[in-house]
Amino acid sequence: MSISGSKTIAVPALLLASILATSFTVSAQEESLTPYTQASEVPQTAVNLWKDYDPRKEDLEVKIHHEWKQDGVVTRLISFKVGRFKDSDSRIAAYYCFPENGKKNPAFVWCHGGGQRADRKRGLMFAKQGFASVDINWLGRPLETELDPDNAWGTDWGKIDPTHDGGFYPHALREEFKYSFNPDEHSVDPIFSPRNSNWFILSLAARRALSFLEQQPEVDPDQLGCAGFSMGGMITSMTSIDKRLKAVAPFIGGTANLYTNYDGLDWGADIHEIGDLALHKSTLDPGAYWKHVTVPVMFISSSNDQYATFDRIYQSMDMLPHDNWRVTCNMHVQHKPGPEQWAMLYQWFKQYLAGIEQNIPPTPASEFDIDGNTAHFTVTPFQQERLVDVEIYYSYDPRPITRFWKKAETTKEGNTWNAELPVQPKLPLYTFALCRYALSSATPLQRGRAFTLNSIEHTHIPENIDLIAFGDLSQSGLIDDFSNGMANWGSRGQPGFKTHKFQDPELDTTPGNKLAVTLDLKQGQELFLRLDLNGKYNAPDKEIGKFHYERNVSGNGPQTILLETKDFKKGKTKKGTTENDRPLEWSKITTFAITLTDTKTKRKINLASLQGAGVLQRMELVQP
């Protein structure tokens, strides 16, 4: 099998034999980690946890299973030894990609997200930008099933299992991901230890991947980085203290303080049963690592991410012992950086791995102070000759996953943008600026020619937070009049758009109100409308599950569809049953999505495009 347009090359038997003969020797039957047997042996800090581990010590025993060549890039499906644990070898599959340029290239480890797998197309794109990369298939999902139907080339963790479950990894030994430090028959240590958490083994695998890269003739061992998505972002954070690294870029994962509740609330902590929270905080929580990370950090995320919540990103960056970091977030979206964020990966690694000056602006300078009932926020972006736009956002909602970020009205004085934000009694206030800059040229994964950088997040947290005070705010039923297009909506790269507007405390979500959706159709235009509502990530007692509504719409000119809560159908589970028996309430909708499909062409309409603009005219909650 080959990538579209690529040339598939099977490695000749004699060459493969030569490669294998020179790439590894017979492994000594020694354990990679000496098991702890006494509690006094267990490290109490992140630095000590890794102090005695040498990822270069053991032979990697690299195997090359297949090779492709395309567009000046060589891609190899390989596997290498992570280590020997419980008297069995653990091997991980990966895609190794590099430019076929005869040079030693900057390189980085890529760690995929939960439920995902290594992807050779991704490595191809990285290589076209001048980077070698190794994309480790830590979850163990099969790769290249047409070439390897029995998954003989795949990841095999042996007698340990740092994956999810058998739904992903064919050799799964547990039913779920292991967070706990408690020992079991598949853990490294027979006593309570942070090395028994899957996170430790996955970071160990990333360190071994760095060892692989520094041994390759196509790689400059002094220009290494690490990046990863979601769970891969967590792996990146834990690997960031490896002294071989020159820069890191966690994507929507890897923040500190997961064990803390949201401001003023008794919920929000995202921590599993560990057995000793204090030991977790000092050895495995990303905060135990960020305070020791000395290399430049680019944190790439989304404003409403559920795993790297917005506020915790800044708490993490504040732990760094240096100021060479940036944050870039995709607005109004959960768990999905957009093109303007992906562009920063290349800029960051070209700057700090390849040593090619990218002229990346510093984090925009901002100030925040409160005078009576008004907060004054100012931002003065650097490199204004490249500046395209400045947006200032704020919210009173302490729940970062479902928070609706309101765009503030701004004034400009000289090179400074100003916003005056009302301070509400008993409510917190969160604010930041998003600055959009022009790229000199478009890059892969980048539609358009811009990137964004965030200012720091400024917060005002009163001691007497009480969300009942939301009821004292002036309210309106207007969801959006679309005068600014889809600015209050986010897209995960799909034509459908989502908003968190229903969690805006200034939206009138009084029970009994009706939803009015006004569309403007052209003559003869026929559309299929679908609305999807979700109550996920709400307070535990307010999660209402999923609902949807759909219908065909036709006509000429504006028309308004008026809906009650009873018009929406309850979502179903995979087993065909409803998720719960809780009714739909406007106030408990955390994400609201709209999708319009042209029934003639069967194509979804991009509501943010010139062709799609104007179809949506108005959306509001109105009194009956």
Side-chain angles (χ1 to χ4, degrees):
M1 186 175 70
S2 63
I3 303 174
S4 176
S6 71
K7 182 179 180 181
T8 303
I9 300 176
V11 182
L14 290 177
L15 174 60
L16 181 57
S18 174
I19 292 171
L20 298 182
T22 58
S23 63
F24 69 87
T25 58
V26 176
S27 165
Q29 301 299 300
E30 296 181 3
E31 293 289 299
S32 299
L33 300 170
T34 302
Y36 299 133
T37 58
Q38 303 293 327
S40 59
E41 299 176 297
V42 177
Q44 301 297 299
T45 67
V47 171
N48 287 338
L49 182 64
W50 295 99
K51 182 178 64 174
D52 297 326
Y53 175 69
D54 182 358
R56 293 167 167 154
K57 181 179 178 180
E58 290 181 88
D59 201 313
L60 289 162
E61 302 184 10
V62 178
K63 295 181 181 180
I64 301 176
H65 302 291
H66 207 78
E67 182 177 288
W68 299 261
K69 288 189 177 182
Q70 177 184 356
D71 301 336
V73 174
V74 177
T75 299
R76 291 175 182 160
L77 174 57
I78 66 167
S79 64
F80 60 85
K81 181 179 174 181
V82 175
R84 188 169 182 82
F85 312 100
K86 303 185 80 67
D87 199 32
S88 69
D89 284 352
S90 291
R91 296 185 59 82
I92 193 168
Y95 287 112
Y96 170 49
C97 299
F98 59 90
E100 195 174 23
N101 55 12
K103 300 179 181 179
K104 285 186 173 294
N105 300 282
F108 59 92
V109 176
W110 178 268
C111 308
H112 66 70
Q116 298 178 351
R117 70 185 88 202
D119 184 347
R120 58 185 166 103
K121 292 182 181 179
R122 182 165 52 220
L124 176 66
M125 288 187 290
F126 294 157
K128 286 183 177 181
Q129 288 295 300
F131 299 102
S133 67
V134 60
D135 189 341
I136 56 175
N137 197 47
W138 63 262
L139 186 59
R141 299 184 72 173
L143 304 173
E144 308 298 340
T145 53
E146 291 185 21
L147 292 172
D148 180 28
D150 297 326
N151 198 31
W153 303 342
T155 296
D156 188 345
W157 287 103
K159 293 182 181 178
I160 62 171
D161 179 13
T163 67
H164 284 352
D165 56 50
F168 299 100
Y169 175 50
H171 309 294
L173 301 173
R174 299 189 182 95
E175 294 183 356
E176 58 185 15
F177 190 86
K178 188 177 189 301
Y179 296 88
S180 172
F181 291 6
N182 290 313
D184 64 16
E185 59 181 320
H186 308 301
S187 60
V188 168
D189 293 322
I191 63 172
F192 188 85
S193 162
R195 300 198 305 189
N196 293 334
S197 167
N198 284 1
W199 288 122
F200 175 83
I201 295 296
L202 294 178
S203 182
L204 187 150
R207 286 165 162 81
R208 290 286 280 168
L210 285 170
S211 297
F212 167 82
L213 284 175
E214 64 180 348
Q215 293 178 18
Q216 304 313 303
E218 305 86 10
V219 170
D220 185 335
D222 296 322
Q223 296 178 320
L224 299 181
C226 187
F229 186 95
S230 190
M231 292 182 77
M234 175 72 170
I235 298 170
T236 300
S237 72
M238 291 183 61
T239 310
S240 294
I241 62 173
D242 191 298
K243 297 304 181 183
R244 295 171 291 181
L245 291 170
K246 295 298 186 291
V248 296
F251 280 66
I252 57 174
T255 58
N257 301 338
L258 299 181
Y259 49 83
T260 59
N261 286 322
Y262 302 144
D263 294 325
L265 299 174
D266 60 0
W267 60 281
D270 181 20
I271 192 69
H272 299 261
E273 178 56 42
I274 301 297
D276 186 334
L277 182 57
L279 187 60
H280 166 80
K281 289 165 61 175
S282 65
T283 59
L284 284 193
D285 183 80
Y289 293 82
W290 288 127
K291 61 185 178 182
H292 298 293
V293 174
T294 58
V295 299
V297 179
M298 169 58 70
F299 209 110
I300 299 172
S301 195
S302 48
S303 67
N304 294 79
D305 191 66
Q306 61 266 51
Y307 298 119
T309 58
F310 195 84
D311 306 337
R312 291 171 183 157
I313 293 173
Y314 290 94
Q315 293 166 13
S316 300
M317 296 301 94
D318 192 48
M319 295 176 177
L320 291 170
H322 62 82
D323 294 326
N324 196 2
W325 57 267
R326 307 287 191 281
V327 173
T328 178
C329 285
N330 193 13
M331 286 306 301
H332 307 301
V333 170
Q334 289 178 346
H335 216 54
K336 184 72 173 183
E340 293 181 337
Q341 289 71 53
W342 269 100
M344 294 310 301
L345 173 68
Y346 293 133
Q347 290 198 72
W348 202 247
F349 280 171
K350 283 184 177 180
Q351 175 86 42
Y352 294 107
L353 299 188
I356 302 172
E357 180 59 52
Q358 298 297 295
N359 198 28
I360 301 171
T363 295
S366 58
E367 296 183 1
F368 177 79
D369 65 83
I370 294 178
D371 181 13
N373 295 325
T374 303
H376 303 277
F377 176 82
T378 65
V379 59
T380 308
F382 297 92
Q383 299 185 18
Q384 296 201 11
E385 69 279 4
R386 306 171 63 192
L387 198 63
V388 175
D389 193 16
V390 174
E391 300 168 353
I392 295 176
Y393 292 94
Y394 72 99
S395 178
Y396 302 116
D397 193 343
R399 303 162 297 185
I401 301 176
T402 60
R403 178 183 295 158
F404 177 69
W405 287 103
K406 298 174 71 75
K407 191 174 180 181
E409 294 184 5
T410 62
T411 59
K412 186 173 182 288
E413 298 179 10
N415 293 327
T416 298
W417 279 256
N418 308 282
E420 293 191 354
L421 311 172
V423 176
Q424 304 294 343
K426 299 184 180 181
L427 293 179
L429 176 61
Y430 307 85
T431 185
F432 75 100
L434 180 148
C435 298
R436 184 169 288 105
Y437 290 90
L439 279 169
S440 58
S441 61
T443 64
L445 295 177
Q446 166 66 27
R447 297 183 300 276
R449 293 171 58 172
F451 64 91
T452 64
L453 291 177
N454 292 13
S455 74
I456 66 172
E457 180 193 33
H458 296 274
T459 60
H460 163 63
I461 312 296
E463 295 182 359
N464 59 340
I465 291 179
D466 188 351
L467 298 193
I468 293 178
F470 281 163
D472 298 330
L473 300 176
S474 59
Q475 295 185 329
S476 165
L478 180 64
I479 297 170
D480 208 328
D481 62 6
F482 302 101
S483 57
N484 292 315
M486 303 304 290
N488 292 322
W489 301 65
S491 171
R492 287 171 49 90
Q494 305 296 326
F497 283 79
K498 293 183 180 181
T499 185
H500 296 89
K501 177 65 178 182
F502 281 76
Q503 289 302 302
D504 181 358
E506 294 178 279
L507 178 66
D508 182 5
T509 55
T510 301
N513 281 356
K514 296 183 178 182
L515 175 65
V517 181
T518 301
L519 306 173
D520 187 6
L521 276 65
K522 299 177 182 178
Q523 177 68 42
Q525 192 173 26
E526 296 181 359
L527 302 178
F528 179 72
L529 167 69
R530 181 176 172 100
L531 305 177
D532 287 281
L533 287 56
N534 200 333
K536 193 174 183 181
Y537 301 115
N538 216 326
D541 62 338
K542 294 183 179 180
E543 290 205 2
I544 56 174
K546 299 178 180 180
F547 295 82
H548 69 273
Y549 172 84
E550 54 189 31
R551 62 171 289 181
N552 289 311
V553 185
S554 61
N556 181 26
Q559 61 177 281
T560 298
I561 300 170
L562 199 61
L563 301 172
E564 301 179 52
T565 55
K566 67 180 182 180
D567 295 322
F568 290 81
K569 295 182 179 179
K570 186 74 174 179
K572 302 286 185 179
T573 66
K574 291 182 179 180
K575 296 181 179 180
T577 59
T578 56
E579 294 176 319
N580 58 57
D581 58 358
R582 294 173 181 170
L584 174 61
E585 298 179 49
W586 303 127
S587 65
K588 295 178 181 177
I589 298 172
T590 52
T591 56
F592 180 100
I594 184 167
T595 306
L596 288 167
T597 304
D598 188 308
T599 58
K600 295 179 181 178
T601 64
K602 307 300 181 184
R603 293 181 178 179
K604 293 180 173 61
I605 296 175
N606 184 349
L607 297 169
S609 68
L610 292 175
Q611 295 77 11
V615 176
L616 279 173
Q617 291 287 298
R618 190 176 182 86
M619 189 177 295
E620 60 187 325
L621 290 170
V622 297
Q623 296 180 359

